[in-house]
Amino acid sequence: MAISRVKGTRDFSPEDMKKRRYVEGVMRSVFESYGYEEILTPTFEYLELFLKKSGEEVLKHAYIFKDKSGKDLILRPEVTTPVIRFYVSNLRNRPHPLRLYYITNCFRYEEPQAGRYREFWQAGVEIIGTNSPEAMAELIIMADDVLKRLNIKHYEIRIGNVEVLKNLLSDVDDRIRSKILRHIDKGEIEKLKEYDINYEKILSIITFSGGRNELEEIAGKDMLLLMDYLDDAGVRYKVDFSIVRGLDYYSGIVFEIHNNKLGAQKQICGGGVYSLGELFGFDIKACGFAFGLDRVILSAERENVLPEVSERRFMLFLFDKKYYKKALEILRIVRKYYKCEMEIMRKKIKKSLEYANSKGIDFFIIVGEEIEKGYITIKDLKRNVQEEVPIENFEEYIKNL
RNA sequence: GCCGGGGUAGGGUAGUGGUCAUCCUGCGGGACUGUGGAUCCCGCGAGCCGGGUUCAAAUCCCGGCCCCGGCCCCA
């Protein structure tokens, strides 16, 4: 029995990686076009970093271990907290706002399921220095932009504010409050009656469907402003105060994006205003979001919107190793413009052509005795024609293919 | 952690309590010694793991592991 993969992890084939790199590439180019810069933090951190603010749920499912010196370490279950650590220790004297992004793997020990893995990828952004409605608008517009550029259609943006419920429950014990919030998140409205709280008020908020005035009263001006910005941007969204983010550090306006083409794990993006600064003794205004990269890829697959990217590919076949040096020269020229591989299995030309054909290679370059007269044979496998090209015209010839 | 459905070569599959475990595809080679996709031939490659029942288990039973989906939770 061969050694198998660890549960909840995946191997990615060349085909998988093409899809992943494509989706990542779209995210990267959108993020960068908004002026965000890429960073990366370590795969593991001291456990301490995540103890205070990530919340029980995240820690319960974390990979926690000791290193050889007995220090408690954790594989990052999310990236926002490490980014803030990085910020506090090294980036604080940069001009604000800081716009940062990352695309990297995270780890949680949970039961694997459709769209849920123990090693998964997050593509996230953070704005440090402000949590203004303008900043939140930028985030949501940008997230929407990414999905639009990927041609994903079946998504829904929901906007809420965790402060509203937290304020309403401010005099409730911490533990009870998180229980109540969990009921709200799950839609277990009936259970709320069991608690000593303003049931009617909470119910009216989580089932909110009123107009601007009421909304302003409940959520404040910022929420209204954000909604105006999103309207101007043509971003469609729903207001939903029952959104309770799983991470405890969220502290204001939050949003989630779901794709209803997905199974049980529908959420493809989540974010909002958070307060992590107090962890380091500062008041840092910040907000951000993260895409679940795997789920976005899954969405793109389900909606069948991944483009077929075709690129010209070459292969060089060498008849005699005495022309190896010539072949290298030719390869150097071809590789300035195209992908070109070389035959290295000592195959006969027939087998080599079979290989090239089954790999979908477009042009087959043959280096044989004609090289002595200064000619290179180029065979167009798709059109089944071949030509002998003088070596001095070779570069010009392939450039114009 | 819980619930449901699964697990036979790299991928897809067939079958039976008892010959050498099918077939397709794939991969390597040959027929064809410098020209592909066809054909033919040869070769490579498998019953998740452990235990039980049995003269005999890939097949039946139990446990575990893993995969798929759902709950919980999250991305």
Side-chain angles (χ1 to χ4, degrees):
Chain A
M1 181 58 189
I3 296 170
S4 59
R5 242 183 311 128
V6 172
K7 179 174 177 175
T9 63
R10 291 157 294 162
D11 295 315
F12 299 110
S13 67
E15 295 74 26
D16 294 333
M17 285 312 292
K18 276 184 190 124
K19 290 178 194 168
R20 296 182 72 83
R21 292 301 189 206
Y22 166 74
V23 172
E24 276 180 45
V26 170
M27 290 182 177
R28 244 192 203 98
S29 74
V30 172
F31 296 162
E32 301 227 349
S33 75
Y34 281 68
Y36 288 69
E37 295 180 292
E38 184 169 18
I39 56 165
L40 189 59
T41 62
T43 305
F44 48 90
E45 297 273 357
Y46 288 121
L47 174 59
E48 195 187 2
L49 177 65
F50 291 92
L51 279 182
K52 285 182 193 157
K53 278 294 191 174
S54 291
E56 249 179 272
E57 274 306 318
V58 167
L59 284 172
K60 213 168 77 189
H61 297 293
Y63 280 89
I64 294 167
F65 59 99
K66 282 186 194 296
D67 72 5
K68 288 193 180 187
S69 72
K71 293 189 176 98
D72 289 310
L73 302 180
I74 177 172
L75 293 182
R76 59 174 166 229
E78 49 97 7
V79 193
T80 300
T81 307
V83 168
I84 295 303
R85 175 193 53 68
F86 184 23
Y87 167 79
V88 167
S89 57
N90 293 296
L91 305 174
R92 260 165 52 214
N93 48 13
R94 298 199 175 216
H96 290 56
L98 254 74
R99 290 185 172 91
L100 306 171
Y101 80 91
Y102 54 83
I103 300 177
T104 193
N105 51 354
C106 297
F107 306 85
R108 290 185 201 170
Y109 191 91
E110 296 191 89
E111 286 312 305
Q113 207 180 305
R116 187 170 70 192
Y117 306 96
R118 291 188 174 179
E119 183 187 26
F120 60 99
W121 271 257
Q122 287 203 339
V125 306
E126 314 291 349
I127 297 176
I128 303 173
T130 177
N131 54 22
S132 63
E134 289 76 16
M136 281 306 298
E138 175 170 302
L139 291 176
I140 297 170
I141 291 166
M142 187 163 70
D144 184 70
D145 203 353
V146 166
L147 295 173
K148 279 182 178 147
R149 293 220 200 170
L150 286 169
N151 276 317
I152 291 170
K153 301 260 189 289
H154 300 271
Y155 64 91
E156 184 183 270
I157 302 174
R158 294 187 302 143
I159 301 168
N161 192 329
V162 293
E163 217 174 13
V164 173
L165 286 174
K166 275 186 183 166
N167 285 346
L168 218 57
L169 299 168
S170 59
D171 48 356
V172 180
D173 176 75
D174 273 6
R175 193 166 297 173
I176 307 282
R177 184 169 59 213
S178 65
K179 255 186 174 171
I180 293 170
L181 290 175
R182 198 159 304 160
H183 287 314
I184 292 171
D185 190 34
K186 285 197 270 188
E188 297 169 344
I189 308 296
E190 283 304 304
K191 294 219 172 139
L192 297 178
K193 288 180 179 164
E194 295 166 19
Y195 298 88
D196 180 23
I197 49 175
N198 190 341
Y199 173 77
E200 294 303 324
K201 179 80 178 164
I202 287 178
L203 189 65
S204 75
I205 285 171
I206 59 184
T207 58
F208 176 80
S209 62
R212 287 181 70 98
N213 290 343
E214 265 178 277
L215 201 58
E216 180 166 353
E217 195 186 314
I218 295 170
K221 282 197 175 102
D222 282 359
M223 185 82 177
L224 228 49
L225 205 48
L226 170 63
M227 290 165 65
D228 287 339
Y229 290 142
L230 295 179
D231 289 339
D232 284 347
V235 173
R236 315 183 91 214
Y237 59 88
K238 282 185 181 164
V239 174
D240 182 352
F241 290 109
S242 73
I243 296 177
V244 178
R245 305 282 307 137
L247 297 160
D248 286 358
Y249 50 63
Y250 285 102
S251 59
I253 294 172
V254 292
F255 74 100
E256 293 182 347
I257 305 178
H258 293 250
N259 182 323
N260 54 29
K261 289 277 171 188
L262 264 40
Q265 308 303 325
K266 288 182 183 5
Q267 194 186 324
I268 58 174
C269 183
V273 171
Y274 56 83
S275 57
L276 273 169
E278 56 201 72
L279 197 53
F280 306 95
F282 296 92
D283 177 26
I284 304 163
K285 288 189 167 62
C287 53
F289 71 76
F291 279 111
L293 184 65
D294 307 284
R295 292 182 187 174
V296 174
I297 292 165
L298 208 56
S299 301
E301 282 175 339
R302 289 281 165 86
E303 298 192 19
N304 202 16
V305 293
L306 289 166
E308 282 291 321
V309 271
S310 65
E311 52 198 353
R312 289 226 165 121
R313 295 171 62 202
F314 284 63
M315 176 163 177
L316 184 142
F317 181 87
L318 181 60
F319 267 116
D320 192 322
K321 60 178 179 290
K322 70 184 175 194
Y323 309 128
Y324 190 77
K325 215 171 168 179
K326 285 279 183 197
L328 289 179
E329 280 172 36
I330 293 162
L331 282 169
R332 205 177 56 237
I333 294 167
V334 180
R335 285 172 179 159
K336 279 162 74 176
Y337 308 97
Y338 306 104
K339 293 184 178 179
C340 184
E341 55 182 280
M342 188 179 184
E343 203 295 305
I344 51 172
M345 269 184 78
R346 300 184 172 183
K347 286 187 196 194
K348 293 181 178 156
I349 188 160
K350 183 177 177 85
K351 289 290 176 186
S352 192
L353 280 162
E354 277 175 21
Y355 165 85
N357 184 55
S358 73
K359 280 205 79 176
I361 281 171
D362 301 274
F363 295 95
F364 196 80
I365 299 169
I366 299 164
V367 177
E369 44 188 40
E370 64 271 31
I371 195 81
E372 292 190 14
K373 292 182 198 137
Y375 287 96
I376 299 161
T377 304
I378 301 179
K379 189 175 173 68
D380 183 332
L381 294 177
K382 295 283 154 71
R383 276 184 266 166
N384 196 19
V385 289
Q386 77 178 48
E387 226 177 310
E388 297 212 335
V389 181
I391 198 158
E392 58 269 24
N393 300 342
F394 179 71
E395 183 160 357
E396 204 53 32
Y397 181 86
I398 62 157
K399 263 167 78 176
N400 295 324
L401 275 174

